[in-house]
Amino acid sequence: GDSVTQMEGPVTLSEEAFLTINCTYTATGYPSLFWYVQYPGEGLQLLLKATKADDKGSNKGFEATYRKETTSFHLEKGSVQVSDSAVYFCALRDNSGGGADGLTFGKGTHLIIQP
Amino acid sequence: EPEVTQTPSHQVTQMGQEVILRCVPISNHLYFYWYRQILGQKVEFLVSFYNNEISEKSEIFDDQFSVERPDGSNFTLKIRSTKLEDSAMYFCASSEAPGVQPQHFGDGTRLSIL
């Protein structure tokens, strides 16, 4: 079945540091890939998405590139802020037609940014 | 910006009791979903719903669970006889279409079974 693997957290960085959160996936078809963010006490918010190989999703300074050859969708940001502290979830959605329409999530990576 | 709303934000129920979690999806969305997140674990898909019927469900969604769209705006998840292990955060989501369209999530209902 489909699966998503994320780097374990928590990840602690200083403000203005470069961020990478690794995400790799296995899927039977050609999935769409998503990053969701969960701020403390809130629900899941879509951060960015990519729907086919070599697509780059970007939003709020974050970006991730759909790499089919390495089955990866790593999240990056050049200069993080304290307000970026949250839990980040990588997720996929199977588009093969016969697959589940529900999202398959990674375990989440807790990011802590210190001033 | 339109959003998915869930009520209540926190539900405390005795084991064995029935509970109904409520969701109002985004108004022009046609596909609806329930997920759960047990504390410290990953978000897990429960069920998807389209055109007034279940389109997909996971192995978690057994006979004690049911979903319904009782009117034009609400989407509910019922747990018939709650167990301790049903304690979790339950998220509702909706999307315009399956596949490439993103799912938009509510803030969740924290269900605590005593």
Side-chain angles (χ1 to χ4, degrees), chain A residues 36 43-44 46 93 95 101-103, chain B residues 33 35 98-99 101-103 107:
Chain A
Y36 282 84
L44 296 162
L46 177 68
R93 193 173 184 183
N95 295 325
D101 189 36
L103 293 169
Chain B
Y33 310 85
Y35 294 82
Q101 291 298 323
Q103 296 176 17
D107 284 346

Side-chain angles (χ1 to χ4, degrees), chain A residues 32 34 36 38 43-44 46 49 51 89 93 95 100-103 105-107, chain B residues 33 35 37 42-43 45 56 91 95 97-103 105-107:
Chain A
S32 297
F34 306 89
Y36 282 84
Q38 186 177 31
L44 296 162
L46 177 68
K49 68 171 186 175
T51 58
F89 293 91
R93 193 173 184 183
N95 295 325
D101 189 36
L103 293 169
F105 282 89
K107 288 187 176 180
Chain B
Y33 310 85
Y35 294 82
Q37 184 182 29
K42 66 169 66 176
V43 178
F45 168 72
E56 191 81 33
F91 292 106
S95 76
V100 301
Q101 291 298 323
Q103 296 176 17
F105 284 75
D107 284 346

Side-chain angles (χ1 to χ4, degrees), chain A residues 12-23:
Chain A
T12 303
L13 295 171
S14 297
E15 207 165 19
E16 299 183 5
F18 184 86
L19 168 71
T20 301
I21 300 178
N22 289 338
C23 171

